[in-house]
Amino acid sequence: FCYGPIKIKRVTDVKEREVSYSGGFGASNSLKRTEVDVDLDYQVLDIPDWALNAQEKLNAIYTQTEVRLPNEVYPDTLTFVKGSDGQLYQNVLSYKLIKP
C-alpha cells in the first residue's frame, strides 16, 4: 500500500547466495541463480493526513503491514537477482497483488 515516497536511511547488510530452482514443467535439472539480499532502514516521507487519520481502518484492511508513521525508521529486505552480465535486477516475481 503506497501513500508516500520512501527514503533509504542506511544499508545495514548485503548478502549474496546461490539459489536452485526448477527449469520449468518437466525439467529434470535444477538451475541456479545468484540472489542478493539488501537489508536496509527506511522512512516514509510526506505521509498524507488521510493515511494517518485512517490508520486503524487501513491496518484492519491491510493486515500484511501497518501504516508507517512520520519520523520513524523501519527495517526491510530487498531481493535482487544477479544477471549473467553482473548487474542486479529486482526480483519482481516476489511481489504479490493484495486486494482489500
Side-chain angles (χ1 to χ4, degrees):
F1 188 75
C2 184
Y3 48 79
I6 291 176
K7 176 183 179 183
I8 296 175
K9 297 292 286 180
R10 70 188 139 267
V11 173
T12 57
D13 197 12
V14 177
K15 298 175 286 248
E16 192 171 294
R17 58 193 162 87
E18 291 293 321
V19 177
S20 297
Y21 64 97
S22 172
F25 295 109
S28 58
N29 327 8
S30 67
L31 304 171
K32 292 186 180 196
R33 71 177 179 203
T34 301
E35 291 186 356
V36 178
D37 293 325
V38 179
D39 297 335
L40 54 92
D41 293 335
Y42 72 94
Q43 287 181 303
V44 180
L45 305 176
D46 305 324
I47 300 172
D49 288 338
W50 64 262
L52 295 173
N53 294 337
Q55 183 177 351
E56 287 183 27
K57 183 177 181 180
L58 291 169
N59 288 344
I61 293 170
Y62 300 99
T63 57
Q64 305 85 341
T65 187
E66 292 184 355
V67 171
R68 301 304 192 219
L69 302 174
N71 303 316
E72 293 289 328
V73 176
Y74 299 96
D76 198 4
T77 300
L78 300 178
T79 299
F80 299 89
V81 174
K82 188 182 243 184
S84 58
D85 58 1
Q87 297 294 314
L88 297 181
Y89 298 91
Q90 200 158 11
N91 185 8
V92 296
L93 296 178
S94 66
Y95 292 104
K96 300 176 187 170
L97 176 62
I98 301 171
K99 295 184 180 182

